[in-house]
Amino acid sequence: MIRETTALMVRELKHWYRAKVQIFMLLIQPIVWLGLFGQALPLKLPPAMLNGAPDYMSYMSVGMLAVTALFTCMFAGMSVVWDRRFGFLNKLRAAPIPRGSIPVSRILAAMIRAVISALMVLLIALIFTHIPGLAGLTVTSNFDILSGLGMILILVLLATAFAAIFVAIALTIKTQETLFAVINLLNLPLMFASAALFPINSMPDWLQAVAKVNPLTLAVDGMRQLLFAGSIGIYPLWVDILGLLTFSVVLVIIGIVVAMRALKEK
Amino acid sequence: MTAIIEVKDLVKVYNGSIRAVDGITFDVAEGEVFGFLGPNGAGKTTTIAVLTTLLQKTSGECKVCDIDVSKHPTEVRRSIGLVPQEMTVDDDLTGRENMILQATLYGVDMKVAKERITELLALVKLEEAADRMVKTYSGGMRKRLELSEGLIHRPRVLFLDEPTLGLDIQTRTTMWDHIRDLRKNSNMTVFMTTHYLEEADSLCDRIGIIDKGKIMALDTPIKLKESLGGDVISLKISGEMDFTEPIKSVEGVLSVKKEDGSYRVKVFNGETVTAPLLQEISKRGGSVTYVSLERPNMDQVFLEYTGRSLRDAEQSGSFDRMAAARQMRRSS
C-alpha cells in the first residue's frame, strides 16, 4: 500500500515540478492580487477590524495563502480527469494495487503542492512589504518556530480537506467541462464566503453564518493569530485547528469512500 | 493442453439494452496466441475488459489462470499483463521512469526490476531513448514501451488490445516480430484482439471470429481457410476452344467457371491439382498463357462466417455509433 501510494504520489509531483508554466501561473495570480488588487482597493480599516493585522494588505496576504492552497488542490482534480481520458486510470485499475492508493496518492500529492505553493506566496508577501510602492505582509507577532509549525499544520490540514473534495469530485465526474463548472461553482463561494479576503463582521448575517463554518475562515483565522500581535480571532486558535482537523478527517474519509465507489468496476 | 482462460456463456449488457457481448464460450490453452478478429464494436474490447477485471460481467463465467475473475480480481490482476488500446504511457515521465512506476505497481522487487527494465527496453529497441521524456516519442515507440510495461512482472497471460492500431505498416511489422519473439522465448499466453486480417492470420495459433457480440467461428487460421472449401486456380487458355469439360474431368476439381478466355477452377487442394490440370489441357491441345493459384484469405473467411466483408462491417454507421457508445462507457 505504502510503496504504490508513494510511487503514484511521486509521479504526480514530478508532473508538477516539470510543468514550470503551471507553477508560474499559479504564483503569478497571488502576485497580481497582492500587487494590483491591494493597491486598487486601499481599504483603510483599523487593526481591530482586521483580526489584529496592521493593515489590509497584511490581512489579505494571509487570505491569499489559503486561497492559493484552494486553487492548487483544484488542479489535482484536473489531473485525475486527464488520467481518465488517456486511459492511465484504467491501467491503475487493472494493476494489483489496493484501490485506495489511487485517491490517497493524489490527495497527498495535492496537499504537498498546495502547502509548497502557499509557502511561496508567503515568501512573496513578506518580500513585497520591503519593496517601496508595494504592500505585503507585515508580521507583528513574536514569530518563532512553534508559530511556523503551526502555520504549516494549518496549511496541511486545509489542503488535505480541499484535496480530498476535489479528487473525489474529479473521480466521480467524467468530463472536463462538467468538472470545470463544478469547480467554479465551489471555488468562488468558498473564497468569498470566508474571512480570507474581507472581514466577516461587515457581512450580512446569513453570509456570516456560512463564513463561520468555512474551512478557509478557520485557516486564515488561525494563521492571523499566529502572525499578528494582539489578534483576537473569530475562534480561539485551538478551535481553528481542531475544526480544520475534523474537516480534513471527515472529508478524506468521504473522499476515499466516494473514490472507491467511482473506481469500482461496473 | 490446459486451459488458462476459460469463458462460458459470457454476456455483457450496457445500459440495460446494448448487448456488447452476447453469450460467448471459449477456452485458451496455455502458451497459445489466441486472437479475436472482428470489426470495431464487435465486443472484443469488452471481452478483454471483463477478463482483465476492469468491467463487471452481466452473466456467465470467466476464469483466468484458474481464478474466477469476478470473485478474486486482485489475484487475477497479479498474473496478467494488459496492453490497452489507448496509449497510456505517461508523457511527462521518461521511458525508464514509466517502467519503474509500472514495476512498483506490480510489486516487482526494485533490484530485479532494474535488470528486467534494461532487458525489456533492449528487446523493444528503446534503450537509447530510455531516459528521454515520453512526449518526444513517436507513436510506434510509445506502443513498444507500452508492450514492455505489460511484460515487467512476467505475466502468465498477456492481453493485447489492438496492438497495432494506428501504427504505420513498418512499425506494425516490428510489433509483430516482438509478439512472435515473446511466443518463441517464453510460455506466455497471449490473448489479442485485432481487426486486421493479416495480423490475425500471421500471429495467432487460433482465431475467434467475433461479430455483434457473438463468436461466429473459432479455429486455427489454416482450418478456417480450409473450411471455405478449397482453392481457386485461375487459367487463361488461348484459342476459341472450350476446355470446361476436360477441366472438369480432372480429379480434385470441384467446379469450373468460364469468362471469355479465362477459367476459375475451384479445386480441393490447389498444390496437387495444378500439375495434372495443366497436363490435361495440353493433352487436349490447349496452350495455357496464364495460371495463378489463390488460397482463401481471412477476408473471405470473415465474409463466409459473418455474411459481410470486414470492411463493410467497419463502415456500417450503426456499428460505429455503438462502438462509440461503448468507448464512452468504457472510459467511465
Side-chain angles (χ1 to χ4, degrees):
Chain A
M1 173 84 189
I2 293 169
R3 200 170 160 223
E4 299 93 349
T5 309
T6 317
L8 288 173
M9 186 187 83
V10 169
R11 164 183 181 258
E12 291 283 301
L13 292 175
K14 273 184 181 162
H15 277 195
W16 181 59
Y17 75 69
R18 282 177 190 171
K20 306 269 178 332
V21 182
Q22 201 187 324
I23 301 181
F24 178 73
M25 290 310 287
L26 199 80
L27 290 176
I28 209 87
Q29 194 174 0
I31 292 175
V32 170
W33 278 62
L34 289 171
L36 294 177
F37 184 70
Q39 309 287 320
L41 205 87
L43 284 177
K44 293 272 184 278
L45 292 169
M49 284 281 286
L50 294 172
N51 257 178
D55 49 67
Y56 176 67
M57 281 310 288
S58 294
Y59 178 89
M60 198 194 76
S61 298
V62 180
M64 260 353 277
L65 300 188
V67 170
T68 303
L70 169 67
F71 281 15
T72 317
C73 291
M74 180 187 94
F75 277 110
M78 303 305 303
S79 82
V80 173
V81 172
W82 280 112
D83 278 351
R84 181 191 299 285
R85 187 119 176 233
F86 290 122
F88 189 82
L89 207 58
N90 260 349
K91 185 149 119 183
L92 294 182
R93 291 175 65 230
I97 52 169
R99 291 276 160 99
S101 62
I102 301 173
V104 171
S105 62
R106 268 144 216 281
I107 293 171
L108 284 173
M111 185 270 284
I112 293 174
R113 284 192 304 225
V115 172
I116 294 176
S117 307
L119 292 176
M120 282 161 95
V121 173
L122 175 68
L123 195 69
I124 293 169
L126 288 171
I127 294 171
F128 268 28
T129 319
H130 301 288
I131 297 175
L134 285 175
L137 174 64
T138 313
V139 180
T140 54
S141 71
N142 289 322
F143 199 81
D144 54 13
I145 290 179
L146 210 60
S147 334
L149 290 177
M151 290 278 289
I152 290 173
L153 176 67
I154 288 173
L155 285 170
V156 165
L157 292 175
L158 178 75
T160 309
F162 284 144
I165 303 177
F166 288 118
V167 167
I169 291 176
L171 278 168
T172 316
I173 291 171
K174 265 96 204 183
T175 62
Q176 216 173 340
E177 290 76 10
T178 324
L179 181 68
F180 258 131
V182 174
I183 282 177
N184 266 332
L185 197 70
L186 272 176
N187 269 353
L188 293 180
L190 263 175
M191 186 164 78
F192 286 109
S194 79
L197 305 176
F198 305 107
I200 60 166
N201 17 11
S202 50
M203 291 176 183
D205 285 348
W206 65 270
L207 196 56
Q208 256 190 60
V210 176
K212 275 186 173 167
V213 293
N214 185 334
L216 272 180
T217 304
L218 297 180
V220 292
D221 189 52
M223 287 194 284
R224 281 178 190 136
Q225 290 179 53
L226 290 167
L227 289 166
F228 306 127
S231 167
I232 297 156
I234 304 166
Y235 302 106
L237 183 58
W238 68 271
V239 174
D240 286 329
I241 292 178
L242 199 68
L244 282 170
L245 183 68
T246 317
F247 260 116
S248 62
V249 169
V250 170
L251 287 172
V252 165
I253 291 171
I254 294 176
I256 291 174
V257 170
V258 169
M260 297 291 268
R261 284 182 59 176
L263 288 169
K264 229 177 123 64
E265 51 280 348
K266 292 184 188 78
Chain B
M1 278 211 311
T2 44
I4 197 157
I5 302 176
E6 295 162 75
V7 176
K8 221 179 139 193
D9 301 322
L10 174 66
V11 175
K12 176 66 195 180
V13 181
Y14 287 112
N15 302 333
S17 60
I18 304 169
R19 294 180 81 84
V21 174
D22 197 1
I24 59 172
T25 300
F26 65 94
D27 283 352
V28 178
E30 180 145 30
E32 189 175 31
V33 177
F34 184 91
F36 255 3
L37 173 69
N40 290 329
K44 294 170 293 175
T45 300
T46 304
T47 309
I48 283 212
V50 171
L51 289 175
T52 54
T53 76
L54 289 176
L55 209 57
Q56 215 36 286
K57 63 185 190 242
T58 307
S59 68
E61 252 179 76
C62 295
K63 275 187 183 174
V64 175
C65 303
D66 242 348
I67 310 163
D68 190 297
V69 169
S70 348
K71 283 185 198 137
H72 307 285
T74 312
E75 279 79 2
V76 171
R77 284 176 203 140
R78 247 189 277 279
S79 38
I80 62 171
L82 169 64
V83 179
Q85 210 173 96
E86 309 97 335
M87 305 270 188
T88 63
V89 285
D90 194 327
D91 264 10
D92 296 312
L93 298 180
T94 66
R96 198 183 301 278
E97 283 174 329
N98 264 292
M99 294 287 283
I100 290 174
L101 178 62
Q102 183 81 1
T104 316
L105 296 180
Y106 279 84
V108 182
D109 182 73
M110 218 11 88
K111 249 196 193 151
V112 180
K114 287 216 166 115
E115 275 168 35
R116 271 192 213 167
I117 288 169
T118 315
E119 196 180 298
L120 284 169
L121 288 175
L123 179 79
V124 296
K125 307 206 166 52
L126 282 176
E127 60 268 76
E128 270 166 44
D131 296 306
R132 250 166 53 199
M133 290 286 165
V134 170
K135 61 179 144 210
T136 66
Y137 283 22
S138 68
M141 289 164 84
R142 280 165 203 238
K143 204 78 212 192
R144 267 143 54 201
L145 180 62
E146 195 97 57
L147 177 69
S148 58
E149 275 193 5
L151 296 170
I152 188 81
H153 58 296
R154 302 250 160 101
R156 287 179 69 193
V157 187
L158 182 68
F159 288 88
L160 301 171
D161 194 1
E162 300 277 3
T164 63
L165 189 71
L167 300 182
D168 59 59
I169 305 267
Q170 214 177 347
T171 321
R172 190 177 299 169
T173 322
T174 330
M175 274 303 275
W176 290 359
D177 288 340
H178 291 322
I179 297 168
R180 278 196 205 103
D181 281 350
L182 275 183
R183 211 213 115 104
K184 228 188 293 166
N185 302 329
S186 68
N187 194 34
M188 193 183 296
T189 310
V190 177
F191 181 104
M192 59 182 282
T193 68
T194 179
H195 65 270
Y196 295 119
L197 295 154
E198 23 351 334
E199 187 163 292
D201 197 6
S202 72
L203 287 179
C204 299
D205 298 317
R206 282 195 306 146
I207 298 171
I209 292 178
I210 181 166
D211 193 26
K212 298 178 185 166
K214 287 199 160 95
I215 294 182
M216 315 302 281
L218 198 163
D219 218 323
T220 62
I222 295 171
K223 284 219 177 109
L224 282 173
K225 286 185 271 187
E226 270 177 7
S227 71
L228 286 188
D231 309 342
V232 173
I233 301 172
S234 299
L235 291 169
K236 269 186 195 151
I237 304 171
S238 61
E240 294 298 312
M241 226 174 106
D242 188 348
F243 283 91
T244 311
E245 284 311 313
I247 291 171
K248 265 190 186 160
S249 70
V250 178
E251 205 184 316
V253 171
L254 300 169
S255 66
V256 188
K257 245 188 216 159
K258 182 175 185 280
E259 277 168 32
D260 300 328
S262 51
Y263 300 79
R264 279 177 67 80
V265 187
K266 224 174 174 184
V267 298
F268 184 67
N269 186 342
E271 273 131 0
T272 54
V273 176
T274 309
L277 182 66
L278 294 178
Q279 276 166 12
E280 181 66 27
I281 293 166
S282 61
K283 218 162 74 188
R284 303 281 179 121
S287 106
V288 177
T289 57
Y290 170 90
V291 62
S292 83
L293 171 61
E294 240 177 80
R295 319 214 63 182
N297 59 31
M298 287 309 297
D299 204 4
Q300 290 157 325
V301 174
F302 191 82
L303 183 72
E304 174 79 17
Y305 285 103
T306 64
R308 52 197 186 140
S309 86
L310 190 55
R311 272 171 267 304
D312 287 346
E314 295 274 86
Q315 276 156 9
S316 87
S318 66
F319 255 82
D320 279 355
R321 270 201 303 280
M322 273 168 80
R326 256 164 236 158
Q327 199 89 17
M328 274 157 57
R329 279 298 293 182
R330 202 158 44 76
S331 59
S332 63

